[in-house]
Amino acid sequence: MNIPSSQAALTPQAVFFDVDDTLYDHLIPFRQALQNVLHTHEQFPYEAAYHRMRYYSDYLSAQAGGTPTHGTVLLEMRRNRFKFTLEEFGLHVTDMQADKVQEEYLQHQFTIQLFAGAKELISQLKDNGVTVGLITNGPPQHQMQKITALGLREIIPAELIFISGAVGITKPDRGLFDHVAEKLGLPAEACCYIGDSWRNDVIGALNGGWNVIWFNHRKVGPESEHRPHYEAASYDELASLLL
């Protein structure tokens, strides 16, 4: 866990979490989709490929002006993120195969579980009087299905769940973080965001003036000169920072 010595104790009034690969292991449905459709072997570099898929997902979303919520643009973005990724790892797939991988990937996203300690941390923060919510990119219905599958609707009220496709602003646009702080009636410095994506979560929240904990459970390097306030690799480390 990286805690800069110059940083004061973290005592936010509001803590918001990203969803994908922050509250659950996003690599699992990715691995299952490749194995089931393309019959990739156990030695395939799934984690490296997953990182490239996330890169292309963010890149194509930015090219489209934000995460599309439906229609041809969304279908092409989802197809191409797999085609571009798999091409880098020597797998040349057709549009039909990429669509099948995407379909399988989506199906497995609804049989997911929270990381160990996530539910307990959320409950303890709420017991301590902290406002806890979610900020996530994606189409509203799709993201809400995952949130439901994780059992989060039972512990986080709907008014504290902000999905880019519903708000109309997509991370890393600081406007999404400004929107949430305004809804809460809190200054940005009273808010903390926890997320795994360097581009979307770290840079976006920093630009919005929020406190940022980079949930770097995959132990990857930073992608720019930005500096999150804290870094954690597990929910035990997050609990040590926040409780």
Side-chain angles (χ1 to χ4, degrees), residues 159-182:
E159 63 269 19
L160 295 176
I161 298 174
F162 296 87
I163 302 175
S164 67
V167 178
I169 311 171
T170 301
K171 296 182 298 181
D173 189 332
R174 65 164 292 169
L176 183 53
F177 296 94
D178 292 342
H179 172 79
V180 174
E182 183 179 348

mmCIF file of all heavy atoms in Angstrom, residues 159-182:
data_model
loop_
_atom_site.group_PDB
_atom_site.id
_atom_site.type_symbol
_atom_site.label_atom_id
_atom_site.label_comp_id
_atom_site.label_asym_id
_atom_site.label_seq_id
_atom_site.Cartn_x
_atom_site.Cartn_y
_atom_site.Cartn_z
ATOM 1 N N GLU A 159 -30.457 6.754 -5.702
ATOM 2 C CA GLU A 159 -30.057 8.148 -5.925
ATOM 3 C C GLU A 159 -28.552 8.362 -5.764
ATOM 4 O O GLU A 159 -28.038 9.434 -6.092
ATOM 5 C CB GLU A 159 -30.818 9.089 -5.004
ATOM 6 C CG GLU A 159 -30.572 8.907 -3.530
ATOM 7 C CD GLU A 159 -31.546 7.937 -2.880
ATOM 8 O OE1 GLU A 159 -32.176 7.133 -3.611
ATOM 9 O OE2 GLU A 159 -31.674 7.988 -1.635
ATOM 10 N N LEU A 160 -27.838 7.342 -5.297
ATOM 11 C CA LEU A 160 -26.385 7.433 -5.154
ATOM 12 C C LEU A 160 -25.658 6.558 -6.175
ATOM 13 O O LEU A 160 -24.461 6.298 -6.040
ATOM 14 C CB LEU A 160 -25.961 7.057 -3.740
ATOM 15 C CG LEU A 160 -26.449 8.007 -2.637
ATOM 16 C CD1 LEU A 160 -26.060 7.482 -1.260
ATOM 17 C CD2 LEU A 160 -25.894 9.415 -2.842
ATOM 18 N N ILE A 161 -26.380 6.119 -7.191
ATOM 19 C CA ILE A 161 -25.797 5.337 -8.283
ATOM 20 C C ILE A 161 -25.821 6.198 -9.538
ATOM 21 O O ILE A 161 -26.889 6.556 -10.047
ATOM 22 C CB ILE A 161 -26.576 4.029 -8.516
ATOM 23 C CG1 ILE A 161 -26.509 3.140 -7.268
ATOM 24 C CG2 ILE A 161 -26.026 3.287 -9.736
ATOM 25 C CD1 ILE A 161 -27.372 1.891 -7.351
ATOM 26 N N PHE A 162 -24.638 6.558 -10.023
ATOM 27 C CA PHE A 162 -24.503 7.431 -11.182
ATOM 28 C C PHE A 162 -23.865 6.655 -12.331
ATOM 29 O O PHE A 162 -22.707 6.240 -12.236
ATOM 30 C CB PHE A 162 -23.670 8.659 -10.830
ATOM 31 C CG PHE A 162 -24.300 9.541 -9.788
ATOM 32 C CD1 PHE A 162 -24.101 9.297 -8.437
ATOM 33 C CD2 PHE A 162 -25.122 10.596 -10.159
ATOM 34 C CE1 PHE A 162 -24.697 10.104 -7.470
ATOM 35 C CE2 PHE A 162 -25.717 11.406 -9.202
ATOM 36 C CZ PHE A 162 -25.510 11.159 -7.858
ATOM 37 N N ILE A 163 -24.639 6.449 -13.395
ATOM 38 C CA ILE A 163 -24.181 5.697 -14.574
ATOM 39 C C ILE A 163 -24.060 6.673 -15.733
ATOM 40 O O ILE A 163 -24.991 7.432 -16.021
ATOM 41 C CB ILE A 163 -25.166 4.564 -14.907
ATOM 42 C CG1 ILE A 163 -25.320 3.627 -13.698
ATOM 43 C CG2 ILE A 163 -24.697 3.786 -16.133
ATOM 44 C CD1 ILE A 163 -26.373 2.544 -13.877
ATOM 45 N N SER A 164 -22.908 6.660 -16.396
ATOM 46 C CA SER A 164 -22.618 7.665 -17.416
ATOM 47 C C SER A 164 -23.704 7.756 -18.484
ATOM 48 O O SER A 164 -24.072 8.850 -18.902
ATOM 49 C CB SER A 164 -21.264 7.370 -18.068
ATOM 50 O OG SER A 164 -21.312 6.170 -18.824
ATOM 51 N N GLY A 165 -24.205 6.599 -18.920
ATOM 52 C CA GLY A 165 -25.215 6.612 -19.971
ATOM 53 C C GLY A 165 -26.512 7.275 -19.556
ATOM 54 O O GLY A 165 -27.260 7.780 -20.401
ATOM 55 N N ALA A 166 -26.785 7.296 -18.245
ATOM 56 C CA ALA A 166 -27.990 7.961 -17.739
ATOM 57 C C ALA A 166 -27.743 9.438 -17.489
ATOM 58 O O ALA A 166 -28.613 10.279 -17.741
ATOM 59 C CB ALA A 166 -28.465 7.275 -16.460
ATOM 60 N N VAL A 167 -26.543 9.757 -16.994
ATOM 61 C CA VAL A 167 -26.218 11.154 -16.694
ATOM 62 C C VAL A 167 -25.940 11.944 -17.965
ATOM 63 O O VAL A 167 -26.255 13.134 -18.065
ATOM 64 C CB VAL A 167 -25.002 11.228 -15.746
ATOM 65 C CG1 VAL A 167 -24.609 12.673 -15.465
ATOM 66 C CG2 VAL A 167 -25.308 10.504 -14.433
ATOM 67 N N GLY A 168 -25.335 11.265 -18.957
ATOM 68 C CA GLY A 168 -24.978 11.953 -20.194
ATOM 69 C C GLY A 168 -23.562 12.510 -20.181
ATOM 70 O O GLY A 168 -23.188 13.300 -21.053
ATOM 71 N N ILE A 169 -22.762 12.101 -19.213
ATOM 72 C CA ILE A 169 -21.352 12.499 -19.106
ATOM 73 C C ILE A 169 -20.555 11.239 -18.799
ATOM 74 O O ILE A 169 -20.945 10.451 -17.944
ATOM 75 C CB ILE A 169 -21.117 13.538 -17.995
ATOM 76 C CG1 ILE A 169 -22.103 14.697 -18.088
ATOM 77 C CG2 ILE A 169 -19.682 14.072 -18.056
ATOM 78 C CD1 ILE A 169 -22.055 15.644 -16.900
ATOM 79 N N THR A 170 -19.430 11.052 -19.498
ATOM 80 C CA THR A 170 -18.658 9.826 -19.380
ATOM 81 C C THR A 170 -17.283 10.099 -18.774
ATOM 82 O O THR A 170 -16.608 11.053 -19.167
ATOM 83 C CB THR A 170 -18.482 9.184 -20.776
ATOM 84 O OG1 THR A 170 -19.774 8.896 -21.329
ATOM 85 C CG2 THR A 170 -17.684 7.891 -20.694
ATOM 86 N N LYS A 171 -16.868 9.288 -17.793
ATOM 87 C CA LYS A 171 -15.499 9.362 -17.306
ATOM 88 C C LYS A 171 -14.543 9.178 -18.473
ATOM 89 O O LYS A 171 -14.834 8.369 -19.359
ATOM 90 C CB LYS A 171 -15.223 8.258 -16.274
ATOM 91 C CG LYS A 171 -16.023 8.336 -14.994
ATOM 92 C CD LYS A 171 -15.637 7.211 -14.018
ATOM 93 C CE LYS A 171 -15.913 5.830 -14.559
ATOM 94 N NZ LYS A 171 -15.575 4.740 -13.617
ATOM 95 N N PRO A 172 -13.445 9.894 -18.529
ATOM 96 C CA PRO A 172 -12.818 10.710 -17.487
ATOM 97 C C PRO A 172 -13.254 12.174 -17.449
ATOM 98 O O PRO A 172 -12.584 12.972 -16.786
ATOM 99 C CB PRO A 172 -11.339 10.625 -17.846
ATOM 100 C CG PRO A 172 -11.342 10.555 -19.335
ATOM 101 C CD PRO A 172 -12.543 9.719 -19.682
ATOM 102 N N ASP A 173 -14.306 12.544 -18.124
ATOM 103 C CA ASP A 173 -14.776 13.929 -18.092
ATOM 104 C C ASP A 173 -15.042 14.344 -16.637
ATOM 105 O O ASP A 173 -15.863 13.727 -15.953
ATOM 106 C CB ASP A 173 -16.055 14.047 -18.920
ATOM 107 C CG ASP A 173 -16.514 15.480 -19.131
ATOM 108 O OD1 ASP A 173 -16.228 16.338 -18.277
ATOM 109 O OD2 ASP A 173 -17.189 15.728 -20.147
ATOM 110 N N ARG A 174 -14.362 15.379 -16.181
ATOM 111 C CA ARG A 174 -14.537 15.817 -14.796
ATOM 112 C C ARG A 174 -15.967 16.254 -14.523
ATOM 113 O O ARG A 174 -16.387 16.305 -13.360
ATOM 114 C CB ARG A 174 -13.585 16.957 -14.461
ATOM 115 C CG ARG A 174 -13.825 18.252 -15.221
ATOM 116 C CD ARG A 174 -13.105 19.411 -14.564
ATOM 117 N NE ARG A 174 -13.683 19.729 -13.262
ATOM 118 C CZ ARG A 174 -13.126 20.559 -12.383
ATOM 119 N NH1 ARG A 174 -11.971 21.135 -12.671
ATOM 120 N NH2 ARG A 174 -13.720 20.812 -11.229
ATOM 121 N N GLY A 175 -16.710 16.541 -15.585
ATOM 122 C CA GLY A 175 -18.087 16.967 -15.410
ATOM 123 C C GLY A 175 -18.932 15.947 -14.673
ATOM 124 O O GLY A 175 -19.877 16.317 -13.959
ATOM 125 N N LEU A 176 -18.611 14.661 -14.821
ATOM 126 C CA LEU A 176 -19.366 13.634 -14.105
ATOM 127 C C LEU A 176 -19.121 13.733 -12.602
ATOM 128 O O LEU A 176 -20.052 13.625 -11.791
ATOM 129 C CB LEU A 176 -18.980 12.245 -14.626
ATOM 130 C CG LEU A 176 -19.733 11.046 -14.034
ATOM 131 C CD1 LEU A 176 -21.238 11.228 -14.133
ATOM 132 C CD2 LEU A 176 -19.306 9.751 -14.727
ATOM 133 N N PHE A 177 -17.884 13.997 -12.220
ATOM 134 C CA PHE A 177 -17.557 14.142 -10.801
ATOM 135 C C PHE A 177 -18.117 15.455 -10.243
ATOM 136 O O PHE A 177 -18.595 15.501 -9.110
ATOM 137 C CB PHE A 177 -16.046 14.047 -10.609
ATOM 138 C CG PHE A 177 -15.498 12.706 -10.998
ATOM 139 C CD1 PHE A 177 -14.987 12.495 -12.276
ATOM 140 C CD2 PHE A 177 -15.531 11.643 -10.117
ATOM 141 C CE1 PHE A 177 -14.497 11.239 -12.648
ATOM 142 C CE2 PHE A 177 -15.052 10.393 -10.473
ATOM 143 C CZ PHE A 177 -14.539 10.196 -11.748
ATOM 144 N N ASP A 178 -18.086 16.499 -11.055
ATOM 145 C CA ASP A 178 -18.697 17.767 -10.639
ATOM 146 C C ASP A 178 -20.200 17.578 -10.411
ATOM 147 O O ASP A 178 -20.768 18.105 -9.445
ATOM 148 C CB ASP A 178 -18.483 18.839 -11.711
ATOM 149 C CG ASP A 178 -17.027 19.253 -11.857
ATOM 150 O OD1 ASP A 178 -16.231 18.998 -10.935
ATOM 151 O OD2 ASP A 178 -16.684 19.829 -12.914
ATOM 152 N N HIS A 179 -20.829 16.837 -11.309
ATOM 153 C CA HIS A 179 -22.276 16.578 -11.218
ATOM 154 C C HIS A 179 -22.616 15.863 -9.907
ATOM 155 O O HIS A 179 -23.573 16.244 -9.211
ATOM 156 C CB HIS A 179 -22.708 15.738 -12.412
ATOM 157 C CG HIS A 179 -24.118 15.239 -12.346
ATOM 158 N ND1 HIS A 179 -25.203 16.029 -12.644
ATOM 159 C CD2 HIS A 179 -24.617 14.016 -12.005
ATOM 160 C CE1 HIS A 179 -26.307 15.329 -12.501
ATOM 161 N NE2 HIS A 179 -25.987 14.108 -12.111
ATOM 162 N N VAL A 180 -21.818 14.847 -9.557
ATOM 163 C CA VAL A 180 -22.090 14.079 -8.340
ATOM 164 C C VAL A 180 -21.891 14.951 -7.103
ATOM 165 O O VAL A 180 -22.733 14.963 -6.191
ATOM 166 C CB VAL A 180 -21.200 12.826 -8.279
ATOM 167 C CG1 VAL A 180 -21.390 12.105 -6.946
ATOM 168 C CG2 VAL A 180 -21.516 11.887 -9.435
ATOM 169 N N ALA A 181 -20.792 15.693 -7.054
ATOM 170 C CA ALA A 181 -20.535 16.559 -5.890
ATOM 171 C C ALA A 181 -21.647 17.582 -5.723
ATOM 172 O O ALA A 181 -22.089 17.869 -4.599
ATOM 173 C CB ALA A 181 -19.178 17.243 -6.049
ATOM 174 N N GLU A 182 -22.118 18.117 -6.840
ATOM 175 C CA GLU A 182 -23.207 19.095 -6.777
ATOM 176 C C GLU A 182 -24.479 18.453 -6.241
ATOM 177 O O GLU A 182 -25.195 19.049 -5.418
ATOM 178 C CB GLU A 182 -23.449 19.680 -8.170
ATOM 179 C CG GLU A 182 -24.521 20.754 -8.199
ATOM 180 C CD GLU A 182 -24.734 21.335 -9.590
ATOM 181 O OE1 GLU A 182 -23.901 21.071 -10.480
ATOM 182 O OE2 GLU A 182 -25.735 22.040 -9.773
#
